[in-house]
Amino acid sequence: MTELNKLGLAEARDLLRKGETTSVELTETCLSAIDAADALNAFVHKTPEIALERAKAADARLAAGDAPAMCGLPIGIKDLFCTKGVASQAASGILEGFKPEYESTVSQQLQDAGAVMLGKLNMDEFAMGSSNETSVYGNAVSPWRRGNDDAELTPGGSSGGSAAAVAADLCLAATGTDTGGSIRQPAAFTGITGIKPTYGRCSRWGIVAFASSLDQAGPMTKDVRDAAIMLEAMCGHDPKDSTSADLAVPNFEAMLTGDIRGKKIGIPKEYRMDGMPAEIEKLWADGAAMLKDAGAEIVDISLPHTKYALPAYYVIAPAEASSNLARYDGVRYGHRATLEAGDGITEMYEKTRAEGFGHEVQRRVMVGTYVLSAGFYDAYYNRARRVRTLIKKDFEDVFAAGVDAILTPATPSAAFGLGEMTDADPVQMYLNDVFTVTVNLAGLPGVSVPAGLDAQGLPLGLQLIGKPWEEGDLLNTAYALEQAAGFVAKPGKWW
């Protein structure tokens, strides 16, 4: 039998049901893998006691024949999700020592479904970043390497710890969040599958907020079937979240037939960027050919406002972040600066936030506060909101014309080295989100599927964008693409 930590959710579930392994065995194998992988810095708060306790409870449920699909499966939880009694820092110094008295809705639903939490995963601070280099815990490191090069690579961001942990088989799957591509870009960089569901499909309650109109939780898994299984457990209406959709959650796994005959797949001409690497171009063309061979009709489409998406996103997201992060003031919880005699409340705020927030978070808070200030609110924020409406309408028009899904690259390149895109020009880093932010601005579901390797042996992903609330259909198209691409590469173990 293969090493248990290398299994996917579906395979492990089937072995548990047959009694060929136990949740405790699965969990112990993963905990050993985690302890041997400190070089990746993926798990930042390990919870072995909680994991084994939940694994034993899951085994009892399995023995009693009362077991949902996720029962007994060991997973990692991104540090953005509040977990009761377990450090939940959003990778920020300002939340040092914060252990919530409550559980986020998504992690509670996974716990109720019998999933086993192995620990909390590294990420960019407050989910602000595309490379997992803004974390108070230090960089997460990709398990992949370029050829024979020893340079450490980014696992992507902000869900970099989740991506590294799943790709390195430290857990069977992990939760991520996606505000502008933070599930799909790291999934593409590490050769795994990641889906951002429709805005409102998963509750945001108990997830530390970055940009409330864009944030959405989703699963990061080893393949599309696993994504379908985990997504179903994560979704559902939550009265505690006013943006949560009161819609029935379908059985996503049952919708994976792989039959996409007659489906219309759109190829947006605006995503053909100047200077796009030839490898990405070829991957995209190959992906379209695979879907065509599977019976889909490939059509050229136009999303004319795409070029305004990044600028609009980098006005809206920091504006919402500056509002959301105003609560971290050193008064109620988390870090408080040491004050000197004569310091008042203003000095306390200033010193606490200067010490607690990293440079990237400070930068975005300042940008956000600027675009919301009286003289610039209309010039920036309101204009960006109008652009967002136009971007959403582009997608609505395409879907109304009969297109079922849209195929694009997931990222403009393969994973880059840690430190290669430094603070010198943050805009270079922001350009990493060029193919993903439109999906968040329009509130649509998007999935990244690994589809090939570049010349240096690094994974490349393709993105499929679907209609709102049609995750089942989108996952089925992704399943057909996955079957055709046949991606099975794994990183060579060096850690």
Side-chain angles (χ1 to χ4, degrees):
M1 199 157 94
T2 57
E3 291 164 71
L4 293 173
N5 56 309
K6 295 191 172 169
L7 297 171
L9 296 176
E11 301 161 294
R13 173 195 63 185
D14 296 346
L15 289 179
L16 286 170
R17 295 280 164 87
K18 288 183 201 154
E20 290 179 21
T21 187
T22 65
S23 178
V24 169
E25 285 174 332
L26 276 170
T27 302
E28 285 174 340
T29 310
C30 289
L31 290 172
S32 301
I34 292 165
D35 285 338
D38 286 344
L40 300 178
N41 200 23
F43 275 88
V44 289
H45 299 294
K46 300 174 186 177
T47 57
E49 296 85 4
I50 294 173
L52 289 167
E53 184 188 319
R54 290 190 189 168
K56 285 172 188 152
D59 281 335
R61 277 177 88 174
L62 286 156
D66 151 42
M70 289 289 293
C71 193
L73 302 176
I75 60 170
I77 302 287
K78 186 177 178 178
D79 194 40
L80 206 62
F81 293 78
C82 287
T83 43
K84 187 174 180 178
V86 177
S88 305
Q89 279 185 243
S92 179
I94 208 153
L95 276 173
E96 189 177 353
F98 176 55
K99 292 185 177 178
E101 285 301 310
Y102 52 88
E103 190 81 24
S104 78
T105 298
V106 164
S107 54
Q108 184 66 57
Q109 282 171 302
L110 287 164
Q111 188 180 329
D112 292 347
V116 174
M117 178 176 80
L118 296 163
K120 303 295 286 289
L121 291 158
N122 206 347
M123 54 179 278
D124 279 294
E125 184 182 6
F126 282 106
M128 297 181 196
S130 302
S131 64
N132 215 133
E133 291 176 281
T134 67
S135 168
V136 73
Y137 310 118
N139 304 338
V141 180
S142 174
W144 291 84
R145 291 273 166 99
R146 298 185 189 119
N148 298 317
D149 185 350
D150 283 345
E152 293 187 339
L153 302 181
T154 174
S158 64
S159 309
S162 301
V166 175
D169 294 318
L170 309 186
C171 53
L172 306 197
T175 62
T177 61
D178 193 310
T179 305
S182 287
I183 285 174
R184 291 158 291 150
Q185 182 249 27
F189 276 2
T190 56
I192 64 170
T193 299
I195 180 168
K196 173 207 122 35
T198 312
Y199 181 79
R201 183 58 105 171
C202 288
S203 169
R204 290 183 299 109
W205 193 84
I207 299 173
V208 178
F210 164 11
S212 302
S213 75
L214 301 161
D215 297 345
Q216 195 58 198
M220 301 180 72
T221 58
K222 296 179 186 180
D223 62 26
V224 173
R225 182 173 298 280
D226 288 359
I229 293 167
M230 189 163 170
L231 182 62
E232 187 181 340
M234 292 171 70
C235 291
H237 178 56
D238 179 12
K240 295 198 289 274
D241 174 5
S242 61
T243 60
S244 168
D246 193 358
L247 287 174
V249 180
N251 180 340
F252 295 125
E253 190 185 6
M255 300 170 83
L256 301 180
T257 60
D259 183 1
I260 57 165
R261 286 172 299 187
K263 295 278 183 199
K264 260 193 186 174
I265 309 292
I267 307 289
K269 64 174 193 229
E270 289 77 10
Y271 283 56
R272 294 192 191 287
M273 304 285 173
D274 290 340
M276 188 197 283
E279 288 175 319
I280 301 279
E281 280 272 12
K282 181 177 184 311
L283 183 83
W284 193 11
D286 289 349
M290 288 175 207
L291 291 172
K292 188 175 182 184
D293 289 345
E297 181 189 345
I298 307 296
V299 292
D300 287 323
I301 58 168
S302 177
L303 299 166
H305 295 94
T306 296
K307 62 177 174 288
Y308 307 117
L310 266 181
Y313 174 84
Y314 278 102
V315 169
I316 291 168
E320 294 187 9
S322 83
S323 168
N324 277 326
L325 270 57
R327 70 189 75 167
Y328 303 105
D329 52 14
V331 176
R332 285 158 293 192
Y333 50 80
H335 176 75
R336 177 187 291 188
T338 307
L339 302 182
E340 293 165 18
D343 280 349
I345 192 157
T346 305
E347 288 79 13
M348 187 195 74
Y349 284 167
E350 287 173 350
K351 288 181 178 178
T352 295
R353 293 164 72 83
E355 288 174 16
F357 288 144
H359 292 313
E360 182 60 33
V361 172
Q362 291 178 10
R363 178 187 289 126
R364 295 201 201 190
V365 167
M366 287 162 69
V367 167
T369 306
Y370 177 80
V371 300
L372 289 176
S373 57
F376 301 104
Y377 191 91
D378 282 337
Y380 290 106
Y381 186 65
N382 267 343
R383 186 169 291 183
R385 283 168 59 199
R386 288 199 290 274
V387 169
R388 179 181 189 167
T389 305
L390 293 171
I391 289 167
K392 190 166 185 285
K393 189 171 184 312
D394 285 349
F395 283 105
E396 286 166 358
D397 291 347
V398 163
F399 291 134
V403 168
D404 294 290
I406 296 165
L407 180 72
T408 78
T411 57
S413 69
F416 46 90
L418 290 166
E420 279 177 21
M421 291 201 195
T422 50
D423 273 348
D425 182 9
V427 174
Q428 277 304 108
M429 189 71 87
Y430 298 166
L431 290 172
N432 255 293
D433 304 332
V434 65
F435 298 127
T436 49
V437 294
T438 50
V439 178
N440 298 80
L441 290 167
L444 299 171
V447 60
S448 171
V449 179
L453 297 172
D454 75 355
Q456 295 174 304
L458 296 180
L460 299 170
L462 285 170
Q463 173 179 239
L464 283 159
I465 304 166
K467 297 176 182 173
W469 317 115
E470 300 274 339
E471 289 88 357
D473 198 49
L474 177 66
L475 283 164
N476 186 44
T477 307
Y479 183 63
L481 180 61
E482 177 186 72
Q483 299 291 308
F487 183 91
V488 291
K490 294 290 287 183
K493 189 164 186 220
W494 53 267
W495 59 93

